[in-house]
Amino acid sequence: MGTGHYFWAIFYFTSLCSASLANNAKINFREKEKKVLDQILGAGKYDARIRPSGINGTDGPAIVRINLFVRSIMTISDIKMEYSVQLTFREQWTDERLKFDDIQGRLKYLTLTEANRVWMPDLFFSNEKEGHFHNIIMPNVYIRIFPNGSVLYSIRISLTLACPMNLKLYPLDRQICSLRMASYGWTTNDLVFLWKEGDPVQVVKNLHLPRFTLEKFLTDYCNSKTNTGEYSCLKVDLLFKREFSYYLIQIYIPCCMLVIVSWVSFWLDQGAVPARVSLGVTTLLTMATQTSGINASLPPVSYTKAIDVWTGVCLTFVFGALLEFALVNYASRSGLNKANMHKENMKKKRRDLEQASLDAASDLLDTDSNATFAMKPLVRHPGDPLALEKLRQCEVHMQPPKRPSCCKTWLSKFPTRQCSRSKRIDVISRITFPLVFALFNLVYWSTYLFREEDDE
């Protein structure tokens, strides 16, 4: 008898457990979710126009915590001073009016896709130029309501933001582009934005930019005061470093090559006028085109940039090489004129000497009335002025020579004729131009690289 009662007890307990499991399997928690949504957001139960209460249900400001996920940075425009970014923007706050029963942990959260069903912070991006949401295939937005009344709002957006740049060190510069978020209508008495604790800003790992590198980012607060009150504001500063290798290949090396090519005219013959003029004009026009192309990709600013100093000096060197040929040509023509004048003077002196020698010969043959020859003395007396003049010239030529300097010794290797001045100018330019350009490079790179380190 006892054994039969024991068997029936086990059978009854097993039946109850099977019925309980069958009832639980038939429960549709999605229907439960609908009932909960109707319960907390039904007509006359929730008003989305009223902001949530403060911490612990007080009358203080509502606290909204922000975090961002930077998906990509498309472009950074120097001429427009803006950059485009695509990010996932998240806000989280607590609204005690949205608390619900989680059915013993079965409902982890409720999901909404209509932001107008609940109260939303009036956040806006203060440095935004353009922006749009993403609606393919469905709107990239969701709202999650947790059992304790916590609300998570997430949306994917693309923004074009203003980024004022200081281009004094361009292209050796670093730029700071900010993303500013502020409340439009609620003051800090009603709404306060805070960064989410832990890791408020995340950046995708494989972020690649064509001409910049994202070095780091910093989060900060930027509350603003106006005549209508104080408004909460958050900002994140993105520090970009410009990639210099692109500008080294596209600008600096070609400019150096143009300057060096302009020096080839120093080695051409001074008589090759078409070749030297063509070379100088071609390099000058190419350098001017290079400079205008660089300025076309930059905004018109009132200060001097590092690239302006470089292109300006390179253009000056090319222009100086062209002016050097003009000086050489002028010196050559002036030397030829002086040489011709010198030849004429020498011919005139030669004719005068010949005439003087003929006169001297006629004086020696002096005939008197008796047809006898009288010879004049060939030796001058000590008091003769002509003898004194000859002696003085000898004394001048016998004076000891002065010790020449190094420059004069080097220049004395060239002929001292007037027509060789142009050759001297070419030889001096062959050494002077490269030395001055090398000195400029030393000063330029040391100055701007040290300024870049100081700014960092």
Side-chain angles (χ1 to χ4, degrees):
M1 189 69 181
T3 304
H5 284 293
Y6 180 73
F7 173 77
W8 285 108
I10 293 176
F11 178 77
Y12 180 73
F13 179 76
T14 305
S15 300
L16 289 176
C17 291
S18 300
S20 176
L21 291 174
N23 291 332
N24 290 336
K26 294 179 181 179
I27 296 177
N28 188 348
F29 287 100
R30 304 287 74 80
E31 291 293 333
K32 292 286 185 181
E33 184 175 341
K34 177 181 178 302
K35 290 181 180 179
V36 172
L37 285 173
D38 292 339
Q39 179 182 357
I40 61 177
L41 297 177
K45 295 184 179 181
Y46 184 85
D47 193 347
R49 299 173 297 176
I50 307 301
R51 73 168 180 87
S53 58
I55 300 176
N56 298 326
T58 61
D59 195 30
I63 305 298
V64 179
R65 299 190 179 274
I66 308 293
N67 73 312
L68 305 173
F69 176 67
V70 180
R71 293 181 173 271
S72 64
I73 299 176
M74 280 75 76
T75 57
I76 301 176
S77 175
D78 296 317
I79 190 169
K80 294 182 179 179
M81 290 196 176
E82 64 184 20
Y83 72 104
S84 300
V85 61
Q86 183 186 123
L87 50 86
T88 298
F89 173 74
R90 304 187 187 98
E91 296 176 305
Q92 193 166 7
W93 67 94
T94 300
D95 193 343
E96 295 186 353
R97 298 172 295 175
L98 299 177
K99 288 183 178 180
F100 62 90
D101 184 13
D102 60 354
I103 312 177
Q104 299 178 353
R106 300 296 180 89
L107 289 178
K108 294 183 179 180
Y109 53 82
L110 304 174
T111 303
L112 294 176
T113 57
E114 300 175 356
N116 58 357
R117 297 288 301 275
V118 297
W119 176 87
M120 293 290 299
D122 61 342
L123 181 140
F124 77 105
F125 297 93
S126 58
N127 60 333
E128 172 205 354
K129 287 186 174 181
E130 294 179 0
H132 66 272
F133 302 123
H134 294 266
N135 297 319
I136 300 176
I137 299 177
M138 293 293 292
N140 299 163
V141 59
Y142 68 80
I143 298 175
R144 291 177 181 174
I145 303 175
F146 295 89
N148 62 348
S150 179
V151 181
L152 173 63
Y153 174 74
S154 178
I155 187 171
R156 186 166 74 99
I157 53 178
S158 293
L159 300 170
T160 300
L161 304 165
C163 178
M165 298 181 182
N166 186 355
L167 299 174
K168 289 183 178 180
L169 298 180
Y170 177 90
L172 300 168
D173 58 334
R174 285 180 169 86
Q175 301 297 336
I176 298 178
C177 295
S178 299
L179 174 63
R180 295 173 177 266
M181 300 160 286
S183 173
Y184 190 81
W186 298 97
T187 63
T188 53
N189 296 327
D190 298 312
L191 179 63
V192 173
F193 291 119
L194 298 176
W195 286 111
K196 184 180 179 180
E197 296 178 357
D199 195 6
V201 178
Q202 296 134 9
V203 180
V204 66
K205 293 183 179 179
N206 57 348
L207 179 63
H208 296 289
L209 298 174
R211 285 186 283 181
F212 287 89
T213 300
L214 180 60
E215 288 192 327
K216 59 182 179 179
F217 52 88
L218 302 172
T219 57
D220 201 357
Y221 296 89
C222 54
N223 291 4
S224 60
K225 290 184 179 180
T226 65
N227 55 3
T228 58
E230 181 179 0
Y231 298 89
S232 183
C233 175
L234 302 178
K235 74 171 181 176
V236 54
D237 293 331
L238 304 174
L239 179 60
F240 295 103
K241 180 182 179 182
R242 198 181 300 272
E243 288 291 342
F244 180 68
S245 57
Y246 169 81
Y247 301 93
L248 180 65
I249 297 173
Q250 297 294 326
I251 296 177
Y252 283 92
I253 292 179
C255 289
C256 283
M257 294 174 65
L258 287 174
V259 172
I260 294 173
V261 167
S262 68
W263 299 342
V264 176
S265 64
F266 303 154
W267 300 86
L268 298 178
D269 186 72
Q270 54 186 298
V273 176
R276 296 188 70 162
V277 171
S278 300
L279 182 62
V281 173
T282 302
T283 53
L284 182 63
L285 293 178
T286 307
M287 192 67 215
T289 304
Q290 181 88 351
T291 303
S292 62
I294 295 170
N295 293 329
S297 61
L298 294 173
V301 294
S302 59
Y303 48 83
T304 303
K305 304 179 289 293
I307 194 68
D308 294 336
V309 175
W310 176 264
T311 55
V313 173
C314 290
L315 189 62
T316 302
F317 270 93
V318 174
F319 183 67
L322 185 60
L323 289 183
E324 188 269 349
F325 171 66
L327 182 61
V328 166
N329 194 14
Y330 173 77
S332 177
R333 288 187 290 106
S334 177
L336 289 176
N337 293 333
K338 290 184 178 180
N340 293 331
M341 293 178 61
H342 181 67
K343 288 181 181 179
E344 293 293 334
N345 292 332
M346 292 297 293
K347 289 180 180 179
K348 185 178 180 181
K349 288 182 179 180
R350 192 178 295 111
R351 288 194 299 267
D352 293 342
L353 290 175
E354 290 177 356
Q355 185 66 31
S357 62
L358 292 175
D359 293 341
S362 63
D363 289 340
L364 291 174
L365 299 175
D366 188 11
T367 57
D368 55 4
S369 59
N370 295 328
T372 58
F373 295 95
M375 299 182 62
K376 292 190 175 183
L378 297 178
V379 180
R380 300 288 183 180
H381 295 286
D384 194 347
L386 181 60
L388 294 176
E389 181 66 21
K390 295 292 184 180
L391 182 61
R392 189 177 298 110
Q393 292 180 2
C394 291
E395 291 177 356
V396 171
H397 288 290
M398 294 300 292
Q399 289 180 357
K402 297 181 180 180
R403 186 175 182 180
S405 62
C406 297
C407 295
K408 290 183 178 180
T409 303
W410 179 69
L411 292 174
S412 65
K413 296 180 181 180
F414 303 98
T416 57
R417 293 177 295 123
Q418 295 292 336
C419 59
S420 66
R421 287 184 180 178
S422 57
K423 185 64 176 177
R424 287 190 179 187
I425 296 173
D426 275 341
V427 173
I428 294 173
S429 300
R430 293 173 191 174
I431 299 176
T432 304
F433 274 71
L435 286 179
V436 175
F437 189 68
L439 180 62
F440 162 71
N441 274 270
L442 179 63
V443 174
Y444 179 86
W445 295 112
S446 60
T447 300
Y448 283 102
L449 289 178
F450 287 149
R451 285 184 62 180
E452 181 185 6
E453 294 177 357
D454 293 341
D455 293 343
E456 183 180 2

